[in-house]
Each structure stands twice: as C-alpha cells, then as structure tokens.
Amino acid sequence: MVAPRGRRSPSGPDRRPQAGGGERSAGGAAASEQKAAARVSVNQPAPPPKFNAGADRISALPEHLLLEILERLDLREAVRAGALSRRWRRLPKHLSRVDLDVAHFQGATPLEAMDAFTGAARSLLAVVPLAESSALKSLILGFYMPSPPHLSTIGRLVQDVVSLGQTECLEFCISLPSPSNTVPQRAEIGRQFMSFCQAYPVAFSWLTSLALERLAFGHSDITELISSCGRLRRLTLRTCRLVDLPFVLKIDTPCSGIQELKFLCVGCTRIDLISVPKLRQVVCHSWISEKLPLHFGYVPELRSVLLDSRAMAW
C-alpha cells in the first residue's frame, strides 16, 4: 500500500531528530534564567559581611574615627580605654582637646581627688615625640589650691605641652576645696598661687583664659598676673577679695591683650581700670559698696558693660 502524500512515515528518511532541538531549548531557558538573576542581583543590596561574634569591631576602625569617639567621652573613660588594647593605650595622647576637672574625680579628701586628677593628667599629657604631640590644640584644667606637689606636676606637664608651640587654647580654673577658709588662709593661698605663676612662666605665658575662685590678693597681684600672661584674653574673679585696705582693685596693663574681665562677688569697694587698651567686655556682679564699683580710664575698645546687683541691673 502506498502512503498518502500529505503524511510521512515516522521512520522515514526526512524525519529530523528532536534531541538537538530539546537541548537548544533547555540551554536558552538556562541562559534567560541567569540573565534574570543578574538583573535582580543588581537591584538588591549586598548581604552584610559576617563578623565573628567575639571580634573587636571598634578597634578595627581607622585611627581618626577612634579619636573622634574618645573626644566625645568623659576623660576618665578615655583614660580607661587605654587598658583595652595596645592600640587604644596610645590613642589618648593624640587627642586634640583635653578637658580635666578635679570635681569629676572621686576621693575621700581633696588631696586624694588631686592625686587622681594629676594621675590622669600625667597619663594624658606625658611627653611623646613631637610629631605625635602636635595634635593637642586645646587644654582645659580645673584643679584645687593649695597642693604644692600636685601644682609642680601640673606646671611641668603644661610647660612640656605648650613648649611644642601647637596649643591654641589653654585654660585654668583654680579654686579652694573648702569655702570656709578664713581671710588669712585665703591670703596665704593667694601668695602660693602667685608663686606658682612665677615658678612656671612658660605655662602661664600661654594661658588664654583664667578663672580664680575664693582667693585673696594684694593690691598689685592682679596687674602683675595679667602682665605675665601675654596671651590671656579672659579673666574671671569669683568670690575673690583684696586683703588690705583700701579695698581698691587697680588694673593697669597697657601692654596686655586681655579682652574680657568678669568680677563676680568680688570683695572690694572699687575697681579702677586705669589702662586696659584691648578690653571689650566687663561684667560686674554683686559688689559690696553702695556706689557703682567701676571707674574707667583708658579703655578705647570697650563695647559691653554689664552691672548687676541685688538691688538693680543696668
């Protein structure tokens, strides 16, 4: 029997094998799936890196970021951070700003608090090579009088820092640990402070701001202090007083660059600003006399005067 023309036998010579076509179709499907997966991976974020649960991720940060972290910590914590590792131990000495206040250190007595304070200062300010020390730009220290051994440590440390010539801001805030000292005791401590200033002239010549609390001075001490601090711009006297009559505080510093004076509860009857050519602002709060306490001499750049008492304010 002859097969019809329109149909061919499955086993005829013109039949093409289907296996090759199947392989090609399967390969095309796989390629399209790979392209689709590639498009999806472009739009999705990469998975987070896997860290070891016990790894120290903070120490792996760049050094400038570690310093940013330390400068935002309380300085006691910054000192303690040095115990974490060898790398952390040297970082506090690279801080650009150091602010230490004895009030933040615990101690059963003021001397014990000063022990802790000077220990922290020694740890942070001990001399290291010049290239490594140049980062310190601002140094702010608040400490107690009197304590000669502690003062000598502070004076030497500060002089070592400022002698490198990189310090832009140096501030001292000095007070007595007890408000109950008698006038003769405060006068003796005032003399010790003036001796401290004279013993470390390099440190005081770099002072930009000074605040003194509950000290007593002679008539010429403040003028001598301002004159010896060539970079001093701000001076604050809080609850300070003169020790001898007449109780007139005279400030005559024609060569100084001081710009701001604050007298807060100062025990004197009058303040004579004889010659303070760079002075721009004066604040006088709670004076003891019935009359206005300020007498102005040569103060050509004075812009702001604030007088405040319990009775009235100008």
Side-chain angles (χ1 to χ4, degrees):
M1 178 183 291
V2 179
R5 286 187 180 180
R7 299 179 63 185
R8 295 180 181 175
S9 171
S11 58
D14 294 334
R15 175 170 172 80
R16 295 189 178 96
Q18 299 297 319
E23 291 176 357
R24 285 195 299 271
S25 60
S32 61
E33 288 179 1
Q34 291 176 355
K35 291 180 179 179
R39 287 195 297 271
V40 172
S41 64
V42 169
N43 296 327
Q44 291 181 347
K50 294 181 179 181
F51 289 100
N52 184 353
D56 182 2
R57 303 184 191 180
I58 294 181
S59 292
L61 294 174
E63 188 167 291
H64 72 280
L65 292 181
L66 294 178
L67 288 172
E68 290 281 346
I69 293 172
L70 286 182
E71 289 187 343
R72 285 164 172 76
L73 291 177
D74 182 278
L75 259 295
R76 292 173 299 174
E77 301 300 327
V79 173
R80 290 172 184 168
L84 293 177
S85 68
R86 188 177 302 172
R87 186 183 182 202
W88 280 82
R89 192 173 302 126
R90 63 184 180 83
L91 284 176
K93 295 180 181 179
H94 294 267
L95 294 172
S96 64
R97 183 178 188 274
V98 169
D99 186 347
L100 280 177
D101 190 342
V102 68
H104 296 159
F105 291 83
Q106 296 181 350
T109 66
L111 287 179
E112 290 180 357
M114 282 295 292
D115 284 340
F117 172 87
T118 52
R122 191 181 296 109
S123 175
L124 288 168
L125 305 178
V127 174
V128 291
L130 176 60
E132 299 181 11
S133 301
S134 60
L136 186 59
K137 303 297 183 183
S138 175
L139 178 58
I140 303 171
L141 301 177
F143 52 94
Y144 293 145
M145 291 280 301
S147 181
H150 297 125
L151 294 180
S152 62
T153 298
I154 294 169
R156 289 194 302 269
L157 288 171
V158 172
Q159 289 203 155
D160 288 341
V161 171
V162 300
S163 63
L164 300 174
Q166 302 294 327
T167 307
E168 298 173 356
C169 172
L170 176 62
E171 299 184 15
F172 286 171
C173 181
I174 303 173
S175 62
L176 298 184
S178 173
S180 59
N181 298 89
T182 64
V183 173
Q185 289 174 331
R186 292 168 64 182
E188 174 60 27
I189 296 171
R191 286 190 287 271
Q192 291 182 22
F193 168 77
M194 294 302 296
S195 297
F196 175 48
C197 174
Q198 295 163 6
Y200 298 96
V202 175
F204 277 84
S205 69
W206 281 80
L207 267 182
T208 56
S209 179
L210 176 62
L212 302 172
E213 184 173 357
R214 295 197 297 271
L215 300 182
F217 296 101
H219 290 102
S220 62
D221 285 348
I222 300 301
T223 288
E224 293 177 7
L225 177 62
I226 295 175
S227 299
S228 63
C229 301
R231 293 175 175 81
L232 191 65
R233 297 296 178 264
R234 294 183 300 277
L235 174 64
T236 300
L237 301 179
R238 184 188 303 271
T239 325
C240 293
R241 60 166 297 155
L242 296 179
V243 294
D244 299 317
L245 291 171
F247 297 132
V248 178
L249 175 59
K250 297 182 179 182
I251 299 179
D252 186 9
T253 55
C255 298
S256 76
I258 195 161
Q259 300 175 358
E260 181 179 323
L261 289 171
K262 289 186 177 181
F263 306 101
L264 311 176
C265 303
V266 173
C268 63
T269 56
R270 194 174 77 238
I271 301 170
D272 289 351
L273 302 176
I274 298 172
S275 178
V276 197
K278 300 298 182 181
L279 186 64
R280 297 180 180 179
Q281 181 179 18
V282 176
V283 176
C284 190
H285 175 75
S286 296
W287 56 90
I288 62 175
S289 69
E290 297 179 355
K291 299 180 180 180
L292 293 180
L294 289 174
H295 285 198
F296 296 101
Y298 184 65
V299 284
E301 296 192 18
L302 187 62
R303 299 291 183 270
S304 173
V305 177
L306 175 60
L307 304 176
D308 181 20
S309 74
R310 295 177 181 178
M312 59 189 69
W314 291 267

